[in-house]
Amino acid sequence: MKPQSIRRIDLWLGRPICLALTLLRRVGQVLLPRASEPPPLRKILLIKMIEQGATVLAYRAIERAVQLVGRQNVYFWVFDKNRAILDVLGLIPKENVLALRADRPISFAVDIVRTLWKVRRIGIDATVDMEFFARAPAILAFLSGARRRVGLHRFTTEGPYRGDLLTHRVQYNPYLHTAAGYYVLVEALLEDPQQTPLLKHRAPQIDFSPEPFRPTEAETSEVRQIIRRLADGRVGTPLVLLNPNASDLLPLRRWPTERFIELGKRLLRDEPEALIGITGAPSERAAAQEVAQAIAPDRAICLAGETTLRQLIVTYMLADVLVTNDSGPGHFASLTSLPTLVLFGPETPALYSPLGAQTYVMTANLSCSPCVNAMNHRFSPCDNNVCMQEISVDAVHERVSELLHPQRAPRRPLELMMNVRTRGARRAADGVGAPVAEGDPLGLERGAP
């Protein structure tokens, strides 16, 4: 289903269902009162249907759930097309991933019934809704039969109506990075649900960055061969990856394609031996191929559709720089030591910046930006993403050159490039490059971070 279809279903079916189930819950509380204390916490179901990049931000939250009940007792509910990142992270068993097909309404409905039946048979006693203010996860959490149901509640705000289906109602904090927000949701499982709102503790002060990805030697060798095959053996250095696309959920996040093309041409002009790789999902292959051809048919390759997600992350480990829109690849790259420049516009890096040690963000800081957030279903009225158009090729080219050659880069004001990996904002302007081994023109011998 298309993102707009999902939004319409969530709006026109979600609201009346939330209302009906809320009334049912309140009648049940009167007619069938339960003991005030829920049973001990044994099995947790995390609900995060969309956006694989955001799942990377939830790394420490998932890890915390595992600490609470054990790896075998944590389950994850997700759309089938978004489960790959869970397999890469490896925090929970593959058989504990409950995947829903979302390509057709009928298969979607069938999978919901099938999965709800499975959830009840498993005996889930706690759910954590990590989709913020979408209605479907709150409905599914209620129907799961879990006695503990954690999620965001709008309270006195004018955010999306989701009824009163949760037992542990958490206050949305728009000043807390999303990674910390996910962690707070899991921590709320341990709290007294009578407190309003949750969570009445200091914001978590931990490093939310994910553990580094470590491929096998066979995986690394396989990706080397893919790159060499696509480049017809003409492998040069540095390898610069460009990700010109963004999720269909928010196309406003795209930097103009022609600017990616111009950036690629300038980099090839500066680096006579460089190789440009255009990345993207399999569905974006045709568009990525056009970008590669427009940059230079003999020095730019199309990687879209040529790799699995694991292979893409291995590719990041073999590359020298990634430039990407605000989308999944920036978060996937945070699993490696790849210097990554992420271009932000409709959303804010203060909440959604990837957490890699070498992640840097660039934004135009327009007064209308960010225009999408959890309270408006991340649906902007904007039809002209000036916030992305204001980011010039000159500015991006300059930053990429500094990342490729940190020893040449002048010391810049600290606010120009931001890294928010740990407890506060850590900023850096130089010293961010990774050396390429002598005699290894593509950096293919560089090991895991």
Side-chain angles (χ1 to χ4, degrees):
M1 287 186 288
K2 296 181 179 180
Q4 287 287 18
S5 299
I6 295 175
R7 285 193 179 103
R8 291 191 183 101
I9 291 173
D10 190 69
L11 176 63
W12 296 109
L13 287 180
R15 282 195 299 189
I17 292 175
C18 285
L19 175 60
L21 293 179
T22 295
L23 295 175
L24 178 64
R25 181 193 180 197
R26 291 179 179 173
V27 170
Q29 287 174 329
V30 174
L31 299 180
L32 301 169
R34 288 180 171 179
S36 57
E37 289 294 327
L41 191 62
R42 295 189 180 94
K43 295 183 179 181
I44 300 174
L45 173 63
L46 306 174
I47 306 176
K48 183 79 182 75
M49 298 291 184
I50 61 174
E51 294 197 300
Q52 296 186 81
T55 303
V56 178
L57 292 180
Y59 186 96
R60 296 299 174 185
I62 301 172
E63 184 181 62
R64 178 60 175 147
V66 169
Q67 291 171 354
L68 291 176
V69 297
R71 185 171 181 266
Q72 294 296 327
N73 295 314
V74 177
Y75 297 80
F76 205 103
W77 212 342
V78 66
F79 283 146
D80 183 69
K81 66 178 183 179
N82 295 319
R83 71 160 292 164
I85 188 60
L86 289 166
D87 296 334
V88 169
L89 296 178
L91 287 170
I92 59 178
K94 292 184 178 181
E95 61 270 20
N96 286 14
V97 177
L98 311 177
L100 295 178
R101 293 169 294 174
D103 51 345
R104 294 184 180 88
I106 293 178
S107 59
F108 177 65
V110 169
D111 281 1
I112 283 189
V113 174
R114 173 183 57 81
T115 311
L116 278 172
W117 178 259
K118 183 175 181 179
V119 166
R120 285 183 168 269
R121 282 194 295 108
I122 291 171
I124 296 294
D125 50 65
T127 62
V128 179
D129 175 5
M130 307 179 86
E131 283 294 0
F132 289 179
F133 285 101
R135 297 179 179 90
I139 294 170
L140 295 175
F142 180 80
L143 295 177
S144 73
R147 293 285 301 276
R148 287 183 178 90
R149 300 185 298 275
V150 173
L152 298 181
H153 190 73
R154 68 177 184 171
F155 294 104
T156 57
T157 71
E158 296 183 359
Y161 171 77
R162 301 206 302 169
D164 186 14
L165 305 180
L166 305 171
T167 61
H168 293 60
R169 303 185 300 176
V170 177
Q171 172 75 43
Y172 174 65
N173 185 346
Y175 304 102
L176 204 60
H177 192 279
T178 302
Y182 289 148
Y183 194 90
V184 164
L185 289 173
V186 174
E187 283 293 305
L189 287 169
L190 304 175
E191 297 302 308
D192 178 1
Q194 300 306 315
Q195 295 189 70
T196 303
L198 293 173
L199 190 67
K200 296 184 183 298
H201 293 293
R202 290 186 61 191
Q205 302 292 304
I206 64 173
D207 182 357
F208 289 103
S209 57
E211 293 297 317
F213 175 76
R214 300 189 185 280
T216 65
E217 292 184 6
E219 288 176 317
T220 304
S221 177
E222 187 175 24
V223 171
R224 288 175 183 152
Q225 293 303 317
I226 291 174
I227 295 173
R228 292 190 176 107
R229 171 175 58 81
L230 294 175
D232 291 328
R234 298 187 298 273
V235 175
T237 187
L239 172 60
V240 179
L241 302 178
L242 306 180
N243 179 65
N245 295 300
S247 168
D248 290 338
L249 287 171
L250 196 57
L252 288 172
R253 294 185 293 192
R254 291 191 180 98
W255 196 43
T257 301
E258 61 272 16
R259 299 194 184 183
F260 274 104
I261 294 173
E262 176 61 24
L263 174 64
K265 290 180 176 180
R266 292 193 190 186
L267 292 171
L268 291 181
R269 180 195 63 196
D270 295 346
E271 309 284 344
E273 302 299 323
L275 179 67
I276 303 291
I278 309 301
T279 67
S283 61
E284 299 164 340
R285 177 171 175 76
Q289 185 66 52
E290 290 179 5
V291 172
Q293 289 292 314
I295 292 175
D298 60 336
R299 296 179 62 195
I301 60 175
C302 173
L303 288 160
E306 295 285 348
T307 65
T308 64
L309 180 58
R310 286 186 66 89
Q311 290 172 330
L312 177 63
I313 298 174
V314 175
T315 304
Y316 294 153
M317 300 183 71
L318 303 178
D320 294 276
V321 169
L322 167 66
V323 181
T324 177
N325 294 311
D326 164 30
S327 57
H331 299 286
F332 305 150
S334 72
L335 298 169
T336 76
S337 60
L338 175 66
T340 302
L341 182 61
V342 186
L343 310 180
F344 272 84
E347 291 188 301
T348 171
L351 297 184
Y352 294 104
S353 174
L355 299 176
Q358 298 222 60
T359 297
Y360 301 88
V361 303
M362 186 176 295
T363 180
N365 288 316
L366 299 189
S367 59
C368 60
S369 179
C371 61
V372 295
N373 56 66
M375 303 302 287
N376 67 7
H377 269 300
R378 301 178 70 193
F379 185 68
S380 172
C382 179
D383 58 3
N384 183 17
N385 65 340
V386 175
C387 56
M388 297 302 293
Q389 300 167 37
E390 284 292 305
I391 301 175
S392 69
V393 177
D394 288 341
V396 176
H397 175 246
E398 184 177 6
R399 300 297 181 269
V400 174
S401 297
E402 292 175 2
L403 292 173
L404 287 172
H405 304 287
Q407 68 279 7
R408 305 179 195 168
R411 183 168 295 278
R412 294 186 165 277
L414 296 181
E415 66 272 13
L416 290 182
M417 304 181 79
M418 183 173 69
N419 179 311
V420 291
R421 177 174 181 254
T422 53
R423 299 177 183 178
R426 293 195 319 173
R427 294 178 167 90
D430 56 9
V432 296
V436 176
E438 185 176 353
D440 181 22
L442 188 57
L444 298 184
E445 301 302 328
R446 189 155 57 240

